[in-house]
Structures are given as C-alpha cells and as structure tokens.
Amino acid sequence: MAFIAMAALTGVPTLALAHPPCCVQCVNPHGETIPSAGSLPVCSVGLLPSANAFRAGENPDGFFLVGTTTGQEGAACGSGTSDVVLIDLGTGLTFAGPGPGGDFLNGTTLKYTQAPGTKVPDVDKIGSTNGKAGAVDFHLKGAGDLEVCSVETETCVTCHVPPPPK
C-alpha cells in the first residue's frame, strides 16, 4: 500500500497504467495513404487516436502499428516496453507471434484482414526484397476484429477493420 502512495507522489505510473496497449492506423506503404474513415494520426507520428475522432480506431485498409505506450498523456504508440498478444475476436484465438510465448514485439507494424468464416487465425511474414520492403512486419487474417493486449498489464484495445464487401 505504501508503494502505491509513493508512486502517486513521485509521478511514477502504477502497473495498471504503466504500459497500456495501443493500436494506431498506418499508411498503406504502396498507396502511401491513410483512409479518412478513422480520422486518426499517422503511425509514423505515433500519436494515440483521439477518443472522439469519427469512427476512431477503424481503418478500412487494415494497416496498424500495435504496441504499448509509457502511459503518459500523449505518449507515442510503441514508446512502452511491453510486448503484446494479438487475438482474433471472431474466433477468440490468439495469433502465434515470433516472440516468447507467441507475443509480438512492441511497435510491430501489420496488415490485418478480417475474413469472416476463417477458422484459424493466420500470420504471414510480409514484404519483398524491393519497393517498400520492411514497411510492414506481418499480415494477419482473422474472422473478426483484432484485439491488442499488453503482456505486462493484461489490458486490451481493439483495432476495428470492416469485413470485405460481399
């Protein structure tokens, strides 16, 4: 109890706020645009989305930066130190990441495709040896939206991607 009071007095974030998860829309590296649907800042800037932005957190193209922040107001996505677990909300299954325990590194860039009917979430390394190689780390495909959870705090946020048109 004394530790929590000391943390509040010194401005050190408590564990629950230390490294919250984040999901910020990114630029499609080949189109070099961000769709206006979510009205969120670009991932290279790393700012967190505004809670009152129109359809905040939705990106029809599915390009995101995922990770954690320091927990300080205005902290950049990817500025935290906790890795993240990625979950397909359509199946409830966890994506298999390259890190310990299947985690994804803080600051991972990805393309997420929502494909209703997908039975097992799929992860592929993405990129080529030319063009915009390395701009995106992974392509994930799942049945529902993508949930990003901080390994350290076990708190989660949702990346919203509309399903493809029928």
Side-chain angles (χ1 to χ4, degrees), residues 12-158:
V12 176
T14 60
L15 181 60
L17 300 175
H19 299 281
C22 55
C23 176
V24 178
Q25 68 178 352
C26 282
V27 171
N28 175 339
H30 291 286
E32 297 184 357
T33 59
I34 292 179
S36 60
S39 301
L40 302 176
V42 67
C43 67
S44 60
V45 174
L47 299 175
L48 292 175
S50 166
N52 56 8
F54 177 67
R55 290 187 352 211
E58 182 175 306
N59 183 350
D61 282 356
F63 290 92
F64 294 100
L65 170 72
V66 297
T68 61
T69 75
T70 61
Q72 302 298 318
E73 185 175 336
C77 187
S79 64
T81 58
S82 178
D83 290 342
V84 292
V85 173
L86 304 178
I87 301 168
D88 170 19
L89 291 177
T91 62
L93 298 174
T94 301
F95 288 94
D103 304 338
F104 286 82
L105 296 176
N106 180 38
T108 295
T109 55
L110 57 90
K111 161 74 169 142
Y112 187 77
T113 302
Q114 187 180 130
T118 299
K119 302 286 187 225
V120 178
D122 185 42
V123 178
D124 291 314
K125 190 77 175 139
I126 193 170
S128 64
T129 57
N130 56 30
K132 304 287 183 175
V136 179
D137 299 313
F138 299 99
H139 182 196
L140 285 69
K141 183 171 31 172
D145 285 326
L146 177 67
E147 186 170 56
V148 180
C149 301
S150 168
V151 171
E152 184 177 315
T153 65
E154 298 181 4
T155 56
C156 303
V157 295
T158 303

